[in-house]
Amino acid sequence: QVQLEESGGGLVQAGGALRLSCAASGRTGDVLGMSWYRSTPGGQRSLVAHIRDDGDIKYHNSVKGRFTISRDSAKNTLSLQMNELKPEDTAVYYCWLGSRQEPYSYWGQGTQVTVSS
């Protein structure tokens, strides 16, 4: 089993920055990749950024050039540096981990990010 714990959310003005962190514990030796998702009230959970075990990175078009995902495998942490934040970035942000072993998918509890205009 894997446990994920996010931190770093909060309230920030538009144009500001926040850094989210996700600490992974447990069976973290079979990681395929890790991601950040976000969910708005009444909306679906959508992918923000993904980093594969081989280092390949993908971003949602809306955050390209503003957000940076990174992973420290030695410390089992995933980060999301969010710059030039916009009100539409307001959401609950979730950490996700994909594993080679069952149950293959893990989610954190989420952290709220609120960007005021």
Side-chain angles (χ1 to χ4, degrees):
Q1 294 294 316
V2 174
Q3 295 77 42
L4 302 173
E5 183 172 0
E6 301 101 333
S7 60
L11 173 64
V12 64
Q13 287 188 332
L18 282 174
R19 185 176 181 86
L20 304 183
S21 294
C22 173
S25 59
R27 299 181 67 177
T28 58
D30 295 297
V31 176
L32 284 170
M34 296 185 73
S35 304
W36 288 99
Y37 283 76
R38 63 187 180 188
S39 177
T40 56
Q44 292 183 325
R45 192 172 293 188
S46 61
L47 180 66
V48 176
H50 175 74
I51 182 166
R52 215 164 57 185
D53 197 37
D54 63 2
D56 185 57
I57 290 175
K58 296 190 187 303
Y59 295 98
H60 188 276
N61 284 339
S62 66
V63 306
K64 283 182 181 177
R66 299 188 298 122
F67 290 12
T68 302
I69 188 172
S70 60
R71 180 185 168 205
D72 185 332
S73 300
K75 296 181 180 180
N76 292 322
T77 58
L78 179 73
S79 299
L80 185 69
Q81 178 65 43
M82 305 186 294
N83 299 328
E84 302 174 35
L85 282 161
K86 304 175 181 180
E88 51 264 42
D89 294 320
T90 295
V92 178
Y93 284 71
Y94 296 90
C95 177
W96 176 87
L97 182 148
S99 174
R100 294 181 177 85
Q101 296 191 6
E102 291 184 354
Y104 304 121
S105 179
Y106 298 90
W107 291 94
Q109 80 287 352
T111 185
Q112 177 71 47
V113 171
T114 303
V115 184
S116 63
S117 57

